[in-house]
Amino acid sequence: GWGTVDVDDVLAIIDTALDRYSFCDRARVGMLGGSYGGWMATWLAGHHGDRFRAFCSERAVNNATALELSSDISTAFNAIHGVNHLEDPDEYVRMSPITAVRNIDKPVLIIHSEEDWRCPIGQAEELWVALKLLGKEVDFYRFPGENHELSRSGSPLHRVQRGEIILDWFSERLRDGTP
């Protein structure tokens, strides 16, 4: 059910935080997520982009059908979704954020590791190429020698670089007065 009740829950949490905390500015909401959270970031960019100013999608699932063919845990998706991509290809297409790439109209930062076998680098490359071909604002950072765990256990230098990239990128796109 990716893209259904999970998205409703995330949007409800965001709305509650924006309503409850006066220091939260509705005009300056950014979204960052990694792995399933990266899927969520790309999904929200394509389906609810009007709610956000910018997105960072890290080590994401962007094309579920392709992931089913290439991930080191590909058989797990059958357990998660109840079917595999051969049994119900339409469901895998439905939950693939890449299908809504034309709707993305906010800046996107893509971060991915070249040795990520959980969500192989092709997931990021496909999104980046599509956004570039459509003339969208997108930045893509690839980390050599890193895997799916970059944010938690990657090399110290790359973890620092990743953090600086994210902070600088969002600082520029979420500041007051910028569209």
Side-chain angles (χ1 to χ4, degrees):
W2 288 10
T4 59
V5 296
D6 53 351
V7 172
D8 294 341
D9 286 348
V10 168
L11 294 175
I13 291 166
I14 292 168
D15 287 340
T16 299
L18 291 168
D19 290 342
R20 188 172 294 168
Y21 302 106
S22 60
F23 60 85
C24 293
D25 182 351
R26 286 183 189 277
R28 296 174 57 210
V29 178
M31 198 296 186
L32 175 147
S35 195
Y36 170 77
W39 171 89
M40 182 66 74
T42 310
W43 180 273
L44 290 173
H47 293 90
H48 299 279
D50 58 320
R51 309 274 308 264
F52 301 86
R53 172 93 60 85
F55 296 88
C56 175
S57 179
E58 293 189 89
R59 61 191 185 281
V61 175
N62 293 307
N63 183 337
T65 301
L67 185 71
E68 180 82 0
L69 299 169
S70 60
S71 174
D72 66 350
I73 60 163
S74 61
T75 56
F77 296 103
N78 185 38
I80 293 167
H81 302 298
V83 294
N84 66 38
H85 70 289
L86 299 172
E87 295 164 335
D88 192 353
D90 292 342
E91 175 61 6
Y92 278 73
V93 170
R94 182 205 64 78
M95 67 179 161
S96 294
I98 197 71
T99 61
V101 71
R102 289 182 182 280
N103 300 335
I104 297 175
D105 62 357
K106 300 298 188 309
V108 176
L109 171 62
I110 301 169
I111 296 176
H112 217 97
S113 298
E114 291 182 352
E115 295 180 20
D116 186 341
W117 311 128
R118 181 80 13 101
C119 298
I121 190 84
Q123 293 285 317
E125 293 167 337
E126 185 174 344
L127 179 62
W128 181 77
V129 168
L131 290 169
K132 291 300 272 185
L133 287 173
L134 293 168
K136 309 289 184 162
E137 183 180 346
V138 59
D139 292 304
F140 181 17
Y141 289 87
R142 308 168 62 107
F143 283 88
E146 298 294 351
N147 61 35
H148 198 68
E149 300 297 314
L150 169 63
S151 65
R152 299 173 291 275
S153 61
S155 75
L157 175 63
H158 284 162
R159 286 190 317 214
V160 168
Q161 287 175 331
R162 173 194 162 273
E164 289 171 344
I165 288 165
I166 292 168
L167 289 173
D168 291 347
W169 194 87
F170 272 119
S171 291
E172 186 175 308
R173 282 151 188 89
L174 299 182
R175 84 179 126 201
D176 282 331
T178 58

